């Protein structure tokens, strides 16, 4: 790692260090957001709400590839940042290589499984006779980019461990920008509709992954993706997965919960599914940017843990929490004020539009807390708190959310399905705060004992 990069982690003023690490990560997640919105937006320009519903049904399934990439990315980032803080450069190289080849192997296996079990998957997600073929077309194409999705999501995190936040951002920026450019050409220009959206997604992911591979092949990185550095020994595999799997479970449960919502919404019709899909896009504007903040500060916090820089750790954490709260409030207000305008960009059907605006305003009641939640969860990952990370990631979209979904549906009906998320947000944030306090106290006691 270059001295300039070390300065970011060790001596740069806290506010400047946080912004230097977090802003590129937030910009990258903003591009992921644009990428996620692009397919739905340009499909919406066909004025076919059934195609919007099909994308809403298929997207959570495809996001499982991103979740697995997150497992290697977040896990690798946590291990590498702490290893670099301890001066273990060779170990960091092994971890980086392990992440690359694991992404390739796991990605290929996932593509094969998704294609083999496509029809059962479509039944599970609640595809109707009207959306079945549309959803199948979209999924069958986009899953082919699986390994590239894993690599892109993994190394958008890992590259930040070297203090190269700008370069980490560029990979996602390149892939997502290309996807956004190709969407109108392929969906509207060529008239390929939902298939065009899928093809644009594949090409964007291919170029995004290619950027990160080329970054390492240039030889200017202190890390490695060489097969000769690949190993599962010396706790390389277990160290990555013990942090990465809980993080991935959180993202995967997010996809599973969306699938459950869609299947439960199916009894209210395809327009309700389309409305919920767009409502979640509105809230995602706040969620993705705040997620970028959490991911951006994680390497900084992880390095402080590895280097035993506890005062700096606390200063970075406090500043990040305050910034996260302000950011969440501002973004939530903007989304609330412009809900109608945002929804109208995706939907023209009156029924679907009404559903989307109603659902979005319910979901926005707790979105101002997203930033605080993501800083807390990424701090737990930076501290190597595997059990705490597992608990919190299982809770928000699983242990708390899924029971709330069925209980509130039984009580409130359709709107109960929507209110389940704000309830889960509040309870999960409280749980994350308790786990952080307990983990920090435990680490402090261990340092005093030494």
């Amino acid at each position: 790692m270059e001295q300039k990069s070390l300065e970011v982690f060790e001596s740069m003023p806290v506010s400047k260090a946080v912004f230097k690490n977090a802003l590129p990560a937030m910009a990258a997640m903003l591009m992921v957001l644009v990428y996620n919105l692009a397919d739905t937006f340009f499909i919406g320009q066909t004025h076919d709400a059934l195609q919007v519903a099909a994308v809403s049904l298929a997207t959570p399934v495809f996001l499982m590839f991103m979740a697995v990439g997150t497992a290697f990315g977040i896990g690798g980032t946590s291990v590498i940042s702490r290893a670099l803080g301890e001066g273990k450069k060779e170990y960091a190289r092994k971890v980086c290589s392990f992440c690359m080849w694991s992404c390739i192997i796991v990605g290929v296996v996932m593509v094969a499984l998704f294609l083999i079990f496509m029809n059962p998957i479509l039944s599970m997600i609640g595809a109707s006779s009207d959306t079945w073929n549309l959803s199948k077309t979209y999924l069958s194409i986009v899953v082919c980019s699986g390994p590239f999705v894993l690599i892109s999501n993994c190394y958008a995190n890992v590259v930040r461990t070297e203090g190269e936040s700008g370069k980490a951002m560029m990979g996602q920026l390149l892939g997502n920008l290309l996807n956004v450019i190709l969407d109108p050409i392929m969906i509207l220009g060529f008239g390929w509709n939902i298939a065009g959206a899928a093809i644009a997604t594949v090409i964007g992911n291919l170029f995004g992954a290619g950027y990160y591979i080329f970054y390492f092949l240039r030889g200017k990185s202190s890390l490695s993706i060489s097969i000769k550095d690949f190993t599962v020994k010396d706790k390389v595999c277990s160290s990555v997965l013990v942090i990465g799997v809980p993080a991935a479970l959180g993202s995967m449960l997010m996809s599973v919960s969306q699938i459950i919502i869609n299947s439960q919404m199916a009894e209210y019709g395809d327009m309700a599914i389309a409305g919920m899909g767009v409502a979640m896009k509105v809230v995602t504007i706040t969620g993705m940017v705040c997620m970028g903040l959490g991911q951006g500060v994680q390497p900084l916090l992880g390095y402080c843990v590895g280097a035993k820089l506890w005062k700096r750790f606390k200063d970075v954490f406090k500043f990040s929490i305050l910034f996260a709260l302000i950011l969440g409030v501002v973004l939530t207000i903007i989304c609330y004020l412009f809900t109608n305008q945002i929804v109208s960009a995706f939907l023209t059907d009156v029924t679907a539009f009404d559903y989307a605006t109603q659902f979005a305003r319910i979901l926005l009641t707790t979105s101002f807390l997203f930033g605080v939640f993501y800083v807390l969860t990424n701090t737990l990952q930076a501290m190597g708190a595997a059990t705490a990370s597992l608990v919190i990631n299982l809770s928000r979209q699983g242990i708390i959310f899924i029971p709330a979904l069925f209980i509130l549906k039984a009580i409130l009906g359709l709107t109960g399905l929507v209110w389940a998320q704000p309830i889960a947000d509040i309870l999960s944030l409280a749980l994350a705060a308790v786990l952080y306090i307990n983990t920090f106290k435990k680490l402090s006691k261990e340092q005093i004992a030494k």
Side-chain angles (χ1 to χ4, degrees):
M1 189 186 298
E2 296 177 3
Q3 189 61 38
K4 184 179 178 181
S5 297
L6 279 173
E7 181 193 350
V8 176
F9 292 106
E10 293 183 344
S11 59
M12 185 177 286
V14 167
S15 59
K16 187 176 180 181
V18 168
F19 288 137
K20 185 174 177 61
N21 270 323
L23 292 179
M26 290 160 62
M29 292 308 289
L30 193 59
M31 281 308 304
V32 172
L33 170 65
V34 172
Y35 151 75
N36 286 332
L37 296 178
D39 284 357
T40 307
F41 174 75
F42 289 110
I43 285 294
Q45 303 312 299
T46 65
H47 305 297
D48 183 353
L50 287 174
Q51 290 194 58
V52 175
V55 172
S56 297
L57 287 167
T59 298
V61 180
F62 179 62
L63 289 178
M64 288 188 178
F65 283 92
M66 293 185 180
V68 177
T70 298
F72 296 110
I74 296 295
T77 297
S78 177
V79 177
I80 292 169
S81 59
R82 280 180 282 131
L84 292 174
E86 295 168 6
K88 298 177 180 178
K89 293 184 179 180
E90 279 305 310
Y91 189 74
R93 289 173 61 84
K94 291 178 181 179
V95 173
C96 186
S97 179
F98 167 79
C99 291
M100 171 60 71
W101 294 98
S102 296
C103 283
I104 293 171
I105 295 167
V106 174
V108 170
V109 171
M110 287 183 69
V111 171
L113 291 174
F114 271 69
L115 291 176
I116 292 169
F117 296 103
M118 182 62 69
N119 286 341
I121 289 170
L122 291 171
S123 296
M124 181 183 68
I125 64 178
S128 67
S129 57
D130 291 324
T131 57
W132 184 281
N133 288 333
L134 293 169
S135 300
K136 186 173 185 178
T137 296
Y138 185 80
L139 269 181
S140 297
I141 296 171
V142 295
V143 297
C144 293
S145 65
F148 307 116
V149 176
L150 264 68
I151 291 170
S152 183
N153 278 271
C154 175
Y155 287 92
N157 288 290
V158 170
V159 172
R160 283 196 290 269
T161 62
E162 296 189 280
E164 297 289 359
S165 296
K167 290 178 180 176
M169 175 188 70
M170 284 305 298
Q172 286 185 309
L173 181 65
L174 175 65
N176 295 334
L177 187 60
L178 185 59
N179 181 70
V180 172
I181 292 171
L182 291 176
D183 262 341
I185 296 172
M186 294 186 171
I187 296 171
L188 304 174
F190 294 167
W192 291 350
N193 295 327
I194 203 166
I199 294 169
T201 297
V202 171
I203 295 171
N205 286 319
L206 174 62
F207 275 82
Y211 171 88
Y212 293 115
I213 293 171
F214 182 69
Y215 167 78
F216 288 107
L217 292 180
R218 288 175 63 199
K220 293 186 177 180
S221 171
S222 63
L223 301 176
S224 169
I225 60 169
S226 173
I227 188 68
K228 68 180 182 181
D229 290 314
F230 175 84
T231 183
V232 295
K233 299 177 181 178
D234 301 325
K235 295 186 177 180
V236 168
C237 178
S238 60
S239 296
V240 170
L241 296 183
V242 77
I243 296 296
V245 169
L249 283 174
S251 298
M252 199 165 288
L253 280 171
M254 192 177 296
S255 295
V256 171
S257 65
Q258 287 183 37
I259 291 169
I260 293 173
I261 290 174
N262 288 336
S263 65
Q264 293 297 307
M265 282 274 180
E267 65 184 82
Y268 299 99
D270 289 325
M271 293 307 98
I273 293 174
M276 187 62 180
V278 171
M280 294 178 80
K281 301 281 186 191
V282 176
V283 182
T284 300
I285 294 172
T286 300
M288 294 295 273
V289 176
C290 290
M291 189 183 294
L293 170 59
Q295 291 178 358
V297 298
Q298 185 190 329
L300 189 59
L301 291 164
Y303 186 93
C304 291
V305 172
K308 308 294 190 292
L309 301 173
W310 294 111
K311 183 183 182 303
R312 185 169 177 81
F313 174 90
K314 287 189 284 187
D315 290 343
V316 170
F317 175 76
K318 289 176 183 177
F319 181 83
S320 299
I321 286 287
L322 179 61
F323 178 45
L325 181 59
I326 294 170
L327 179 68
V329 169
V330 171
L331 289 174
T332 297
I333 291 172
I334 292 171
C335 290
Y336 194 89
L337 291 175
F338 294 97
T339 298
N340 285 8
Q341 290 86 340
I342 297 170
V343 171
S344 65
F346 301 98
L347 294 168
T348 53
D349 182 272
V350 176
T351 303
F353 179 91
D354 290 342
Y355 276 131
T357 52
Q358 178 189 2
F359 296 162
R361 291 200 168 102
I362 293 173
L363 295 173
L364 285 168
T365 55
T366 52
S367 63
F368 71 97
L369 298 171
F370 287 172
V372 175
F373 176 80
Y374 285 120
V375 169
L376 282 169
T377 54
N378 278 275
T379 301
L380 287 169
Q381 290 159 4
M383 296 162 84
T387 303
S389 296
L390 176 62
V391 170
I392 195 61
N393 282 294
L394 285 176
S395 297
R396 182 171 180 256
Q397 298 299 141
I399 297 171
I400 295 175
F401 176 73
I402 293 175
L405 199 65
F406 290 100
I407 292 169
L408 290 174
K409 183 194 175 188
I411 298 171
L412 301 173
L414 176 60
T415 55
L417 290 171
V418 191
W419 274 110
Q421 188 62 70
I423 296 298
D425 288 340
I426 293 170
L427 295 177
S428 299
L429 177 61
L431 178 61
V434 171
L435 289 172
Y436 166 75
I437 292 169
N438 289 339
T439 303
F440 185 79
K441 285 180 178 178
K442 183 180 177 181
L443 282 176
S444 298
K445 287 179 181 178
E446 288 175 358
Q447 290 305 307
I448 292 171
K450 290 178 181 179

